[in-house]
Amino acid sequence: MTFNSDRPIYLQMADRLCDEILTGTYKADDRIPSVREYAVMLGVNTNTAVKTYEQLAQESIIYNRRGLGYFVAGGAKEQIMKVRRQAFMEERLPELFRQMQLLGISIESVTEAYKNLNTLR
């Protein structure tokens, strides 16, 4: 995984694991890689992976079964979607609308482009 410098690595790792939950790689009550396995998989220090897992556990995305490892919490996918939707609406959408206004792009042209994009898939 290639990390960028504008966000802490442990948060980028958390985002990746959340992406994997959203795409169905891991479902509710599925075991996820151990802290060590995930650290090796992504080429980071184990302490960074520990911080990632602690963050996700604090957000109730994953939970620990003592001696068995970490598992995806029930409702994790919905929780991730709720948080990301809110962030999108509050952080990304205002900038998108600002750029649309500056460039004279109508909502109708965006809707049409979105429809065309979806028909290509």
Side-chain angles (χ1 to χ4, degrees):
M1 179 172 178
T2 304
F3 299 102
N4 58 46
S5 60
D6 58 336
R7 283 188 80 213
I9 291 174
Y10 81 97
L11 291 177
Q12 293 176 62
M13 291 173 61
D15 284 345
R16 177 188 166 133
L17 197 49
C18 286
D19 287 349
E20 292 171 334
I21 292 169
L22 289 176
T23 61
T25 302
Y26 302 112
K27 296 174 180 48
D29 296 315
D30 280 355
R31 184 183 176 282
I32 60 173
S34 71
V35 170
R36 285 190 182 89
E37 290 169 339
Y38 209 55
V40 168
M41 190 183 318
L42 300 181
V44 300
N45 185 295
T46 303
N47 292 331
T48 304
V50 166
K51 197 168 181 178
T52 299
Y53 279 42
E54 287 173 350
Q55 177 71 30
L56 292 172
Q58 182 180 349
E59 295 173 7
S60 300
I61 303 298
I62 62 174
Y63 64 94
N64 187 11
R65 286 189 187 160
R66 192 172 184 94
L68 296 176
Y70 283 92
F71 295 79
V72 177
K77 183 174 182 175
E78 293 76 16
Q79 173 69 10
I80 295 164
M81 289 176 70
K82 177 184 171 188
V83 169
R84 287 192 175 181
R85 283 179 180 145
Q86 182 177 352
F88 179 83
M89 296 299 272
E90 293 174 1
E91 298 165 14
R92 294 187 180 166
L93 203 53
E95 176 58 20
L96 176 66
F97 287 151
R98 188 180 82 75
Q99 288 295 320
M100 286 172 61
Q101 188 174 23
L102 286 172
L103 299 171
I105 299 171
S106 69
I107 195 72
E108 292 79 17
S109 62
V110 171
T111 302
E112 187 63 32
Y114 180 75
K115 287 178 185 176
N116 291 336
L117 179 67
N118 282 333
T119 58
L120 296 176
R121 292 182 184 173

